[in-house]
């Protein structure tokens, strides 16, 4: 038997036995007043302390010897007093509940607490087995109905103590409750902490999908088709979709006829929920024994049901938070995605976050709403909906989240898909500006207030993502415009000026030839040849700068080498490329910016520095890449240059775009060293 955690907590609780004894005694008094109500508090606490001490001794020993000795001495006494197996099992389970509560206070780490629960489950299985053995004679003497009762109580107790997932706990409890009647069905309604209403959380025994959908769309409300539970409390059935309306009409009659019954679930006088139990057997009615059995099961596991409800709510909130975090990271950290891909991601994540089947995104275009993106199914039957005189247009103008519980009756036929059943529509608002609508359809059981809350939070992030995407596209346009202006300046400063000089020189050569000045004409033609070659070099450089073909296929190093071969080396410049470390690909955006920085620095070396040699070094160090361009030109004083001189503004802007560290070291007559260092992000690679 695994008992590392049991031994750990057992040692502690034996030293603090009074606190656990008091808690255990209170549980015994609350759930077994027949046996402990007449005992004074000190005696009751003493009895609880004896039982708790034996349990903790078993924890520290790793066996059941103390309990075996106890059962041998007291079994006959309990039989003489009329204590039944249900009471023994219930008392054992109350002890287990006290251990669970003590564990919650002792273990602050959730993983350790779960390990403790697993060991506790194994331990109590052995305890229950031991208990069953000691009271086998009692079990044989009981009637068959009592045997079924105890079995169900035991199953319910095992369910709430062995299953850690709250949804699994509630589903298995619904199955146990359905098993108390022939061909039984059960739905457990829990109190919604946000609305105070009762909503279904688990069910068993409803075969068809239509029936399951109807039950999920059912609510217990203050008003509606009124009926009373076994405790006399009145409820009303409300429906959240068309399929559940028939149930809201049928179930009250079934309850009044006796084939269905409502059982109030309370814990310490506080309502936790309601269990609806019914039978499909013709002529079935609840007798006193069955009613008592179900009530006993619910009393035994009421604490666990409340714990499962709280855990279920916490689990949902954690899932929502994780989903929002994941969506925020994807949407807000990837602004370089095109607007269409961002819209698709928004639509896809929207239906995932609330478990819908389909989603659509409508954006305002002129005086219409345009369905720009879909995810899943069904889809909108129309691409455009007028803002005026349409269902969706009215929702857009109200700018309020709308839950459609029955789309087939609430939305005009021309504007809906025949496959849509339920729908939630959330406006996309940027301040007071209305951008469009985000819709999710066909969640099983319909949408509720919790879905409204999480969808509105998601919509706010979606609006932020849309704005970031729009701003990024605008910045890209500005970058493109800046590149065009730079190329225009380059063409004007180099190629255009060269062509003008060629034209002027050729005219002079023609005039010299016409006037018989052959020697002057030869000099002018030689000058013309040099101008044409320089123009060709400038044009080749500009063409290469537009889009180096080696960039995508060979990466940064290949593109720089191709540039040196195509321009610098052909121009007679001594140019070398050295690579340190293991060459690797960087994100394409980073490679392009580094290449453009290298090109600008090389242009400076050939045009302004009048360098005779240039060296390009690329160092692929661990976690960073360093690019250096070193020339032996005439150098300059960086502080004396005007802002943006020699293309330095463009180099600085490109460095900032990739968060690179830029350093320029130069002095007149001593050449120039330009260094760019990029720290690589984890998981970097091709984009």
């Amino acid at each position: 038997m695994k008992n590392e955690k049991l031994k750990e907590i057992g040692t502690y609780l034996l030293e603090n036995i009074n606190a656990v004894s008091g808690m255990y005694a209170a549980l015994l008094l609350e759930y077994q007043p027949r046996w402990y109500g007449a005992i004074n508090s000190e005696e009751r606490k003493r009895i609880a302390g004896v039982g708790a001490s034996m349990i903790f001794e078993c924890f520290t020993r790793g066996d059941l010897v103390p309990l075996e000795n106890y059962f041998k001495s007291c079994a006959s006494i309990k039989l003489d007093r009329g204590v039944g197996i249900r009471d023994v099992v219930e008392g054992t389970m109350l002890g287990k509940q006290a251990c669970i509560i003590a564990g919650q206070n002792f273990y602050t780490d959730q993983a350790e607490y779960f390990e403790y629960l697993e060991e506790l489950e194994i331990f109590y299985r052995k305890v229950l087995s031991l208990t069953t053995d000691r009271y086998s004679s009692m079990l044989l003497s009981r009637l068959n109905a009592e045997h079924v009762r105890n079995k169900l109580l035991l199953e319910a107790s095992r369910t709430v103590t062995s299953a850690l997932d709250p949804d699994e706990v509630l589903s298995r409890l619904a199955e146990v409750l359905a098993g108390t009647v022939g061909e039984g069905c059960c739905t457990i309604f829990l109190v919604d902490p946000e609305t105070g209403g009762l909503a279904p959380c688990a069910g068993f025994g409803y075969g068809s999908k239509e029936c399951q959908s109807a039950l999920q769309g059912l609510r217990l409300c203050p008003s509606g088709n009124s009926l009373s539970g076994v405790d006399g409390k009145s409820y009303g059935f409300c429906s959240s979709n068309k399929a559940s309306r028939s149930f809201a009409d049928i179930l009250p009659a079934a309850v009044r006829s006796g084939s269905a019954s409502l059982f109030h679930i309370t814990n310490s006088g506080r309502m936790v929920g309601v269990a609806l139990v019914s039978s499909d057997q013709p002529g079935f009615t609840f007798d006193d024994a069955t009613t008592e059995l179900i009530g006993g099961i619910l009393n035994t596991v009421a604490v666990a049901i409340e714990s499962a409800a709280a855990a279920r709510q916490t689990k949902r909130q954690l899932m929502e938070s994780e989903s929002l975090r994941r969506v925020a990271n994807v949407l807000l950290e990837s602004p370089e995605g095109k607007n269409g891909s961002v819209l698709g991601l928004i639509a896809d994540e929207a239906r995932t976050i609330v478990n819908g089947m389909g989603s659509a995104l409508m954006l305002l275009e002129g005086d219409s709403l345009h369905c720009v993106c879909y995810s899943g199914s069904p889809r909108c039957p129309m691409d455009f909906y007028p803002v005026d005189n349409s269902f969706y247009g009215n929702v857009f103008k109200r700018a309020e989240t709308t839950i459609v519980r029955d789309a087939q009756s609430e939305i005009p036929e021309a504007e809906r898909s025949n496959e849509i059943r339920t729908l939630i529509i959330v406006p996309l608002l940027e301040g007071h500006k209305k951008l469009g609508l985000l819709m999710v359809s066909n969640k099983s059981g319909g949408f509720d207030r919790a879905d409204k809350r999480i969808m509105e939070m998601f919509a706010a992030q979606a609006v932020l993502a849309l704005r970031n995407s729009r701003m990024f596209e605008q910045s890209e346009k500005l970058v493109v415009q800046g590149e065009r202006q730079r190329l225009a300046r380059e063409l004007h400063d180099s190629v255009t000026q060269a062509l003008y000089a060629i034209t002027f020189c050729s005219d002079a050569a023609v005039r010299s030839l016409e006037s018989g000045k052959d020697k002057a004409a030869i000099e002018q033609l030689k000058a013309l040849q040099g101008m044409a070659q320089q123009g060709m070099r400038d044009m080749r450089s500009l063409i290469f700068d537009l889009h180096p073909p080696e960039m995508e296929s060979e990466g940064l190093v290949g593109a720089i080498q191709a540039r040196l071969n195509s321009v610098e080396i052909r121009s007679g410049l001594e140019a070398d490329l050295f690579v340190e470390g293991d060459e690797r690909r960087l994100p394409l955006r980073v490679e392009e910016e580094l290449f453009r920085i290298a090109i600008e620095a090389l242009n400076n070396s050939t045009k302004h520095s009048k360098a005779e040699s240039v060296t390009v070094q690329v160092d692929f160090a661990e976690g960073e890449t360093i690019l250096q361009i070193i020339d032996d030109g005439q150098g300059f004083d960086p502080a004396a240059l005007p802002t943006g001189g020699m293309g330095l503004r463009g180099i600085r802007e490109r460095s900032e775009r990739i968060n690179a560290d830029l350093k320029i070291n130069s002095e007149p007559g001593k050449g120039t060293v330009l260094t760019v260092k990029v720290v690589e992000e984890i998981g970097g690679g091709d984009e």
Side-chain angles (χ1 to χ4, degrees):
M1 179 176 69
K2 293 175 61 178
N3 71 325
E4 294 179 3
K5 295 299 178 184
L6 296 183
K7 185 175 181 179
E8 181 182 77
I9 195 173
T11 302
Y12 171 80
L13 293 177
L14 280 173
E15 296 174 357
N16 299 271
I17 193 67
N18 289 335
V20 182
S21 300
M23 178 173 55
Y24 188 17
L27 290 171
L28 291 172
L29 176 62
E30 179 180 358
Y31 291 99
Q32 293 188 331
R34 176 184 176 187
W35 306 111
Y36 297 97
I39 303 176
N40 65 58
S41 60
E42 290 299 320
E43 177 65 12
R44 187 165 54 248
K45 187 174 181 180
R46 185 193 68 79
I47 295 173
V50 171
S53 297
M54 282 186 297
I55 293 295
F56 302 147
E57 286 181 21
C58 292
F59 284 2
T60 58
R61 289 170 56 95
D63 57 40
L64 300 179
V65 173
L67 279 177
E68 289 177 345
N69 296 333
Y70 173 76
F71 285 146
K72 288 178 182 178
S73 64
C74 71
S76 59
I77 298 175
K78 288 183 178 293
L79 286 171
D80 293 338
R81 292 180 59 192
V83 177
I85 186 63
R86 171 192 178 280
D87 302 304
V88 174
V89 171
E90 186 179 58
T92 303
M93 290 298 97
L94 291 174
K96 184 177 183 179
Q97 186 63 35
C99 291
I100 291 174
I101 296 173
Q104 290 174 338
N105 297 329
F106 182 75
Y107 289 106
T108 57
D109 182 81
Q110 191 177 40
E112 290 187 334
Y113 177 59
F114 281 171
E115 292 178 13
Y116 165 67
L117 290 182
E118 291 175 357
E119 293 185 9
L120 188 67
E121 169 61 18
I122 296 172
F123 174 83
Y124 265 93
R125 284 179 182 172
K126 295 181 178 294
V127 171
L128 289 172
S129 176
L130 176 63
T131 304
T132 305
D133 291 339
R134 296 303 180 193
Y135 289 88
S136 59
S137 58
M138 181 182 298
L139 288 173
L140 293 174
S141 66
R142 296 290 182 179
L143 298 174
N144 184 60
E146 187 68 16
H147 171 72
V148 173
R149 173 189 179 89
N150 294 330
K151 181 180 178 181
L152 288 169
L153 283 168
L154 182 59
E155 179 64 26
S157 299
R158 284 178 173 173
T159 294
V160 300
T161 55
S162 63
L164 300 180
D165 182 78
D167 292 323
E168 182 182 354
V169 169
L170 296 168
S171 296
R172 289 171 61 181
L173 282 176
E175 182 178 357
V176 170
L177 292 170
T180 61
V181 299
E183 299 182 23
C185 305
C186 175
T187 298
I188 296 177
F189 297 82
L190 293 181
V191 175
D192 187 324
E194 295 186 3
T195 65
L198 289 158
C201 68
F204 179 83
Y206 301 97
S208 68
K209 292 183 178 180
E210 292 78 9
C211 188
Q212 293 176 16
S213 176
L215 259 296
Q216 290 173 344
L218 199 64
R219 301 290 187 272
L220 292 178
C221 312
S223 60
N225 296 311
S226 182
L227 52 94
S228 298
V230 293
D231 56 359
K233 185 176 178 63
S234 295
Y235 300 93
F237 279 104
C238 308
S239 59
S240 64
N241 57 43
K242 186 176 181 180
S244 62
R245 290 177 188 169
S246 59
F247 266 64
D249 294 333
I250 295 172
L251 284 175
V255 172
R256 285 190 290 270
S257 70
S259 63
S261 189
L262 289 167
F263 296 87
H264 203 191
I265 307 172
T266 60
N267 180 32
S268 301
R270 182 176 62 259
M271 186 173 71
V272 178
V274 172
L276 170 64
V277 183
S278 62
S279 172
D280 287 341
Q281 285 184 343
F284 173 86
T285 57
F286 282 84
D287 56 25
D288 292 340
T290 303
T291 300
E292 183 182 355
L293 171 59
I294 295 174
I297 293 174
L298 292 175
N299 287 335
T300 302
V301 300
V303 175
I305 290 177
E306 183 175 30
S307 298
R312 192 169 183 261
Q313 179 69 12
T314 301
K315 179 182 176 182
R316 172 168 180 164
Q317 290 174 349
L318 288 174
M319 290 176 62
E320 291 174 352
S321 299
E322 175 60 23
S323 182
L324 285 173
R325 184 197 64 78
R326 177 166 48 85
V327 170
N329 287 343
V330 174
L331 294 181
L332 303 183
E333 292 182 4
S334 301
E336 67 273 10
K338 297 299 182 183
N339 192 53
S341 64
V342 172
L343 297 180
L345 183 61
I346 291 173
D348 190 53
E349 292 292 346
R351 67 185 181 91
T352 302
I353 202 170
V354 291
N355 296 319
M357 298 299 294
S359 62
L361 193 65
M362 292 184 177
L363 296 181
L364 180 65
E365 293 184 9
D367 56 359
S368 298
L369 292 168
H370 181 199
C371 285
V372 295
C373 194
Y374 302 91
S375 178
S377 62
R379 297 187 171 190
C380 294
M382 300 167 54
D383 289 334
F384 291 90
Y385 293 85
V387 173
D388 295 326
N389 303 320
S390 73
F391 174 82
Y392 295 111
N394 291 333
V395 175
F396 174 79
K397 287 190 288 187
R398 288 198 306 271
E400 296 177 355
T401 299
T402 301
I403 294 177
V404 179
R405 305 192 184 281
D406 185 3
Q408 296 303 305
S409 62
E410 297 181 41
I411 301 178
E413 182 177 1
E415 299 183 36
R416 70 168 188 264
S417 166
N418 291 332
E419 299 175 4
I420 292 181
R421 296 291 178 265
T422 59
L423 190 66
I424 185 169
I425 310 171
V426 186
L428 300 175
L429 303 174
E430 188 175 5
H432 297 291
K433 183 180 179 181
K434 303 171 187 176
L435 304 181
L437 299 173
L438 177 61
M439 303 178 294
V440 180
S441 62
N442 288 6
K443 177 186 178 181
S444 180
F447 299 94
D448 54 24
R449 187 175 298 183
D451 297 317
K452 175 179 180 292
R453 173 181 54 81
I454 191 68
M455 282 296 295
E456 287 177 344
M457 293 172 62
F458 177 81
Q461 289 193 339
V463 169
L464 183 59
L466 289 172
R467 184 174 64 181
N468 283 1
S469 179
R470 186 171 64 247
M471 292 175 64
F472 187 84
E473 287 188 350
Q474 292 173 351
S475 67
E476 279 191 322
K477 291 178 181 178
L478 292 176
V479 170
V480 172
Q481 183 179 358
E483 286 295 307
R484 288 175 176 172
Q485 292 175 349
R486 183 185 68 83
L487 288 172
R489 288 194 302 269
E490 292 287 344
L491 285 170
H492 178 269
D493 294 342
S494 58
V495 179
T496 303
Q497 295 296 328
L499 292 175
Y500 177 78
I502 289 171
T503 302
F504 181 81
C505 193
S506 64
D507 288 342
V510 169
R511 288 195 298 270
S512 296
L513 288 172
E514 289 176 346
S515 60
K517 299 177 181 179
D518 295 344
K519 187 176 180 179
I522 291 173
E523 293 298 325
Q524 291 163 345
L525 288 173
K526 288 181 179 179
L528 178 63
Q529 184 182 34
M531 295 175 188
Q533 290 174 345
Q534 182 62 42
M536 288 177 61
R537 286 193 293 268
D538 290 342
M539 182 60 72
R540 187 183 301 115
S541 175
L542 288 173
I543 292 174
F544 193 90
D545 290 356
L546 285 174
H547 186 72
E550 290 78 10
M551 178 63 73
E552 294 185 6
S553 60
E554 300 182 26
L556 176 64
V557 172
I560 293 177
Q561 184 64 69
R563 157 70 192 218
L564 294 177
N565 294 339
S566 175
V567 180
E568 277 72 25
I569 294 177
R570 282 193 181 185
S571 302
L573 186 68
E574 183 180 342
D576 295 303
L577 172 63
F578 297 100
V579 178
E580 297 289 337
D582 295 330
E583 183 180 345
R584 59 182 176 269
R585 292 302 301 268
L586 305 175
L588 185 58
R589 178 173 62 90
V590 175
E591 288 187 337
E592 288 182 346
E593 295 293 358
L594 288 176
F595 178 75
R596 300 298 179 189
I597 291 172
I599 295 303
E600 192 66 51
L602 290 171
N603 288 340
N604 287 340
S605 297
T606 57
K607 294 181 181 180
H608 303 294
S609 266
K610 299 180 180 179
E612 295 181 358
S613 68
V614 62
T615 300
V616 180
Q617 294 182 354
V618 184
D619 182 6
F620 291 98
E622 183 177 354
E624 62 184 21
T625 300
I626 302 172
L627 170 69
Q628 278 193 327
I629 296 90
I630 307 166
D631 69 45
D632 62 354
Q634 61 187 10
F636 63 95
D637 181 3
L641 284 179
T643 303
M646 295 176 62
L648 295 183
R649 175 186 295 174
I651 291 176
R652 291 192 179 96
E653 289 177 352
R654 292 184 186 279
S655 299
E656 290 173 358
R657 283 203 287 269
I658 56 175
N659 297 319
D661 182 23
L662 172 66
K663 292 182 179 179
I664 301 174
N665 295 320
S666 183
E667 293 182 23
K670 294 185 178 181
T672 302
V673 178
L674 183 145
T675 305
V676 183
K677 181 169 68 174
V678 179
V679 178
E680 299 172 26
E681 297 180 359
I682 297 176
D686 292 348
E687 286 183 352

